[in-house]
Amino acid sequence: MFKSKYLKDLFDATKKRYSTQPEFLQAVEEFFGAMDPIVNEDPNIEKHGIMERLIEPERIIKFKVTWVGDDEKVNVNRGYRVQYNSALGPFKGGLRFHPSVNESILKFLGFEQTFKNSLTGLPLGGGKGGSDFDSKGKSDGEIMRFCQNYMQELYRHIGSDTDVPAGDIGVGYKEIGFLYGMYRKIRNENTGVLTGKGLTYGGSLVRKEATGYGVLYFAQEMLSKYRNESIEGKQVIISGSGKVGMHAALKARELGAYVVAMSDVNGYVYHKNGLDISLIAKLTEDIPEFSTQYKDYHQSAEYGENPTDIWKKPCDIALPCATQNELFLDSAKSLVKNGCYLVCEGANMPTTLDATHYLQQKDILFAPGKAANAGGVAVSGFEMTQNAMHTPWTYKELDEKLKHTMKQIFYKAYEAAEKYADPRNLVVGANVAGFLRVYEAMVDQGVI
Ligand code: NDP
């Protein structure tokens, strides 16, 4: 566990207090594990109660969302916004609409977001929100009515200098449009309170691609620094085929890699010579799940109905881009056995803690999501800047800024890893580099 008694006692107390929040505890455990080296050498962290203050969100807002279905039946969902830490700037983080959403999941996401946003170097605090609403199988009218009712409560708690939500699982352009429309109507203002907006009303170029592209830019930095190699010709596995997974696949192909396997909730497809990424992009435009249909177009591909089996396939690079806890110890063992040497997280906390430790023990290059998937929030930050300036930037400018940001994040994590652990330990590096900026801001602003 932890060498520091302060961290050990605090984690034990946190475990007792939040015993029903496993995802939150997992995120805290990973973070505390990385904090060990600095907590011991800086007694002020304990004196200022920094860790106690960091793990508690500033505010958790929970509300009821009622909406009428196409069958005229009234439905009730639970809505949330976890405003985690605003020491660096307005709360910032996505909204997730998925039946699994609960306080534990949103707390883990908001906690991680605080350090991710810090790593971008932008003035952004951390937050997350969402609902247990399931948009699958719902008509556009139902999704619109849900989003409008969700915003009828959320609008009180957000604002362009207070809290700026974005998308996440189950929330894309369509949902952001409905949410933004209702906010604009209630507030009678156009201040860009959400990011990931459509391009006609204040959205940013490169936002939709940003997380997936950023993962590839980060993986490129890793390959270059640790192995003096490029991504060209590498075999890549990507789990998930949503906003992050699909854009990671498109960028991997553009950079000359072969995406040999991809997945969704219904299974995975594999082809050792590389998948037809254009076809997958086309299929996922119309239906969320492509895996069961891919073989209709390419009979030599292999389909498996368990998405987790994707990790049993040989590859050089694995990019988990679907959801939390999707890459288990067994999956990590298969990856190592089959020759994978780099795992770069596109999703948030997709790798379980024991799997992460195993990969690190086996000297696999490993990048945690809070560093590798920060491209999305970075371009969201650029969207906020463009909204405030009332001037859009070009695609080329934004892509350059994204590349530059991912490189800087890599080097911040690398340098902190070198100083506090070893240069390959980006888990320690990313957590420490993210933490130090938040720590300084909290101390400067006093006990509040
Ligand atoms: P989407 O809803 O767009 O896509 C999620 C994808 O993952 C879908 O293809 C979904 O399949 C698939 N999926 C879900 N569960 C599983 C599973 N158990 N096994 C295999 N596939 C699965 O979400 P995003 O792409 O936006 O987000 C993905 C991850 O990236 C999340 O962890 C999110 O927090 C993180 N992230 C997202 C950012 C963003 O900008 N969107 C920014 C930073 C992190 P199906 O369609 O069949 O349900």
Side-chain angles (χ1 to χ4, degrees):
M1 191 45 99
F2 317 114
K3 290 194 198 90
S4 146
K5 183 170 172 347
Y6 166 49
L7 290 177
K8 190 183 166 314
D9 291 349
L10 181 57
F11 189 66
D12 286 345
T14 309
K15 253 188 0 198
K16 261 193 208 136
R17 182 168 298 120
Y18 297 115
S19 59
T20 57
Q21 300 187 351
E23 294 86 0
F24 170 62
L25 291 173
Q26 184 181 338
V28 173
E29 190 175 346
E30 180 203 297
F31 176 72
F32 278 9
M35 289 300 107
D36 241 349
I38 61 167
V39 162
N40 277 332
E41 72 179 41
D42 181 354
N44 277 331
I45 294 175
E46 182 169 357
K47 185 175 156 218
H48 288 284
I50 293 295
M51 295 299 164
E52 292 88 330
R53 289 158 68 190
L54 268 177
I55 60 176
E56 292 299 334
E58 289 181 28
R59 197 171 292 107
I60 299 181
I61 300 144
K62 186 173 175 186
F63 50 95
K64 174 174 73 176
V65 189
T66 44
W67 56 281
V68 181
D70 289 344
D71 57 3
E72 297 189 358
K73 187 178 172 307
V74 175
N75 298 279
V76 179
N77 283 96
R78 283 128 298 273
Y80 305 84
R81 185 72 183 161
V82 178
Q83 298 185 327
Y84 224 104
N85 188 300
S86 60
L88 298 182
F91 302 104
K92 179 94 197 86
L95 298 174
R96 177 177 290 191
F97 292 169
H98 192 271
S100 64
V101 162
N102 58 32
E103 219 166 286
S104 171
I105 289 182
L106 295 179
K107 276 177 67 183
F108 115 66
L109 289 163
F111 182 66
E112 295 228 313
Q113 191 84 42
T114 302
F115 308 109
K116 180 190 313 197
N117 293 1
S118 167
L119 282 169
T120 66
L122 298 171
L124 302 171
K128 202 80 190 187
S131 171
D132 56 3
F133 174 74
D134 186 0
S135 50
K136 278 194 183 164
K138 303 286 189 305
S139 69
D140 282 357
E142 289 179 315
I143 293 173
M144 181 179 75
R145 290 193 292 281
F146 172 79
C147 289
Q148 292 176 336
N149 281 284
Y150 180 85
M151 187 50 88
Q152 271 171 6
E153 174 61 34
L154 187 72
Y155 86 93
R156 298 169 217 283
H157 312 288
I158 62 174
S160 54
D161 289 320
T162 316
D163 184 350
V164 184
D168 190 77
I169 292 181
V171 178
Y173 271 135
K174 189 198 302 180
E175 292 77 12
I176 292 287
F178 294 147
L179 291 162
Y180 189 77
M182 185 48 90
Y183 182 87
R184 184 171 61 78
K185 182 179 161 89
I186 301 173
R187 288 277 198 202
N188 193 24
E189 64 175 41
N190 252 309
T191 46
V193 69
L194 297 161
T195 58
K197 297 185 290 295
L199 294 176
T200 54
Y201 60 95
S204 174
L205 291 166
V206 191
R207 176 59 190 91
K208 78 171 176 338
E209 298 91 340
T211 310
Y213 281 20
V215 172
L216 267 293
Y217 295 151
F218 196 95
Q220 270 190 315
E221 293 300 331
M222 292 171 77
L223 281 171
S224 157
K225 184 74 191 173
Y226 296 118
R227 294 173 66 96
N228 200 20
E229 285 176 7
S230 87
I231 205 152
E232 200 179 341
K234 302 286 189 293
Q235 297 217 323
V236 181
I237 289 181
I238 299 176
S239 64
S241 45
K243 297 184 288 299
V244 180
M246 203 60 244
H247 288 103
L250 289 164
K251 182 52 84 177
R253 182 185 66 175
E254 187 190 316
L255 296 172
Y258 299 96
V259 180
V260 292
M262 284 184 81
S263 61
D264 56 33
V265 282
N266 290 336
Y268 72 88
V269 287
Y270 169 76
H271 198 295
K272 67 176 179 0
N273 298 334
L275 295 171
D276 181 348
I277 301 302
S278 305
L279 173 69
I280 298 174
K282 173 121 198 40
L283 287 174
T284 51
E285 256 174 37
D286 303 329
I287 38 145
E289 294 118 18
F290 77 96
S291 66
T292 46
Q293 305 198 9
Y294 187 84
K295 252 177 96 76
D296 296 346
Y297 300 84
H298 291 286
Q299 273 141 32
S300 54
E302 176 186 324
Y303 165 74
E305 62 184 14
N306 181 357
T308 310
D309 287 347
I310 195 170
W311 310 120
K312 292 184 178 160
K313 299 290 150 195
C315 68
D316 301 301
I317 295 171
L319 307 176
C321 294
T323 191
Q324 67 276 354
N325 292 333
E326 49 151 328
L327 198 162
F328 302 97
L329 180 58
D330 279 355
S331 328
K333 286 183 177 167
S334 303
L335 282 171
V336 173
K337 195 173 104 204
N338 290 323
C340 172
Y341 49 79
L342 189 152
V343 177
C344 188
E345 294 186 330
N348 288 309
M349 211 170 72
T351 316
T352 59
L353 268 179
D354 53 358
T356 304
H357 294 152
Y358 179 82
L359 292 169
Q360 289 181 313
Q361 276 160 21
K362 294 288 169 189
D363 210 22
I364 304 301
L365 294 169
F366 179 85
K370 57 169 76 73
N373 72 28
V377 75
V379 177
S380 275
F382 302 151
E383 184 172 330
M384 289 164 70
T385 306
Q386 293 169 87
N387 291 164
M389 297 191 312
H390 303 282
T391 309
W393 288 328
T394 64
Y395 191 98
K396 190 163 174 286
E397 279 173 307
L398 284 154
D399 194 31
E400 281 306 317
K401 280 179 191 294
L402 171 63
K403 251 184 231 160
H404 178 70
T405 304
M406 296 316 295
K407 186 174 183 144
Q408 277 194 326
I409 293 175
F410 171 75
Y411 277 98
K412 279 181 203 168
Y414 176 85
E415 280 158 20
E418 199 172 33
K419 183 162 174 196
Y420 292 101
D422 77 82
R424 290 168 77 91
N425 194 337
L426 294 178
V427 174
V428 168
N431 279 294
V432 169
F435 163 77
L436 288 174
R437 186 170 165 229
V438 183
Y439 170 36
E440 193 178 335
M442 285 170 73
V443 172
D444 286 353
Q445 292 174 46
V447 180
I448 48 169

